[in-house]
Amino acid sequence: MSERSFEGKAVLVTGGSRGIGAAVARRFGSLGAHVAVGYRSGRDAAEALCAEIGAAGGTAVAVAGDVAVPAQAQAMVGRAHDAFGRLDVLVNAAGVGPYLPLAEIDEAHCRAIFDTNVLGTIMLTQAAAPLLPSPGGRIVHFASRLAFNPLPTSSVYSASKAAVVTLVHGFARELGPRGITVNAVAPGVIETDMTADILRERGEQILAATPLRRIGQPDDVAGVVTFLASADAGWVTGRTIIADGGLN
């Protein structure tokens, strides 16, 4: 992949204002892409990231919306397309992941997780598919290693990410004849503000069990995402890439 391999292409990164999503947006900007940074509530962080990408010579705009609300998910895709006159790549890094033990799971917990992680995946894909180039369009969603190996109390979140794995496989079959690839990345524990408590409580245990003997960083995942979005990955579709340093 060359330093400007996404020159002139337009990318929407939902959940792009923080953590892994911000690293993905930053990486696409450095590779020459026009980046729409999707966010739900982190307006200041999204605009600061856009300014950072712009200062580095890139182009970025902030796009607000809640992927759990179908109309807003569709509008985010439309605004990203309108901002740059095209849309080549959709990266859906938006997600929520509160954990609860079985005895405390209720309808609100299930709906909050499934509306964002599953319904959002469906609605974003549906909205982006007609706008992506055919052939050459790229869609990358986020699953989790917990889809394959759930922890106690993570059951609902893990199930939502297992649904993403299945959706990616199914959508890849539907969109394959148009030359559009659909894949997912399933990270393990990555060092972000959202995992601070996990790393504080179990960091040494995770480190000891990880063959690469370090905690994953957002840039580790960003590299996998940009590969899946690149021309080099044109023969990869319907797949979920586990990026966890060999832990799973």
Side-chain angles (χ1 to χ4, degrees):
M1 197 183 306
S2 71
E3 290 185 0
R4 307 295 290 180
S5 53
F6 288 91
E7 188 79 52
K9 293 190 175 183
V11 181
L12 168 61
V13 183
T14 67
S17 66
R18 59 190 292 195
I20 297 173
V24 170
R26 202 175 281 114
R27 178 72 67 94
F28 274 113
S30 73
L31 293 171
H34 305 305
V35 185
V37 178
Y39 69 95
R40 182 179 63 177
S41 57
R43 177 179 177 179
D44 290 346
E47 291 183 346
L49 178 59
C50 290
E52 177 187 339
I53 292 171
T59 305
V61 297
V63 178
D66 185 348
V67 303
V69 181
Q72 293 188 34
Q74 293 161 357
M76 289 175 73
V77 173
R79 286 197 293 271
H81 178 272
D82 292 346
F84 304 120
R86 61 186 295 166
L87 182 67
D88 300 276
V89 180
L90 164 67
V91 177
N92 175 27
V96 296
Y99 295 178
L100 282 178
L102 175 61
E104 297 178 20
I105 292 171
D106 58 14
E107 179 182 353
H109 175 74
C110 294
R111 290 191 181 280
I113 292 176
F114 272 80
D115 282 358
T116 296
N117 297 355
V118 181
L119 182 61
T121 295
I122 296 167
M123 293 295 101
L124 287 167
T125 304
Q126 185 183 73
L131 303 177
L132 294 170
S134 175
R138 299 283 188 267
I139 299 173
V140 183
H141 290 293
F142 269 72
S144 168
R145 71 175 295 273
L146 295 178
F148 306 95
N149 188 17
L151 295 170
T153 75
S154 78
S155 299
V156 176
Y157 171 75
S158 300
S160 76
K161 291 304 187 178
V164 172
V165 172
T166 300
L167 288 170
V168 160
H169 199 172
F171 291 153
R173 289 175 175 266
E174 283 196 56
L175 298 179
R178 291 184 49 204
I180 296 171
T181 67
V182 187
N183 293 289
V185 180
V189 176
I190 303 297
E191 187 174 6
T192 68
D193 59 340
M194 295 178 67
T195 61
D197 289 341
I198 293 172
L199 291 175
R200 186 163 47 251
E201 295 169 6
R202 297 191 292 110
E204 291 302 320
Q205 178 186 349
I206 294 169
L207 187 65
T210 302
L212 290 179
R213 292 295 189 270
R214 64 179 179 85
I215 301 298
Q217 300 299 310
D219 276 344
D220 293 323
V221 182
V224 179
V225 172
T226 52
F227 165 71
L228 290 173
S230 73
D232 292 340
W235 195 233
V236 181
T237 195
R239 300 298 175 232
T240 296
I241 308 300
I242 300 174
D244 67 353
L247 180 61
N248 200 45

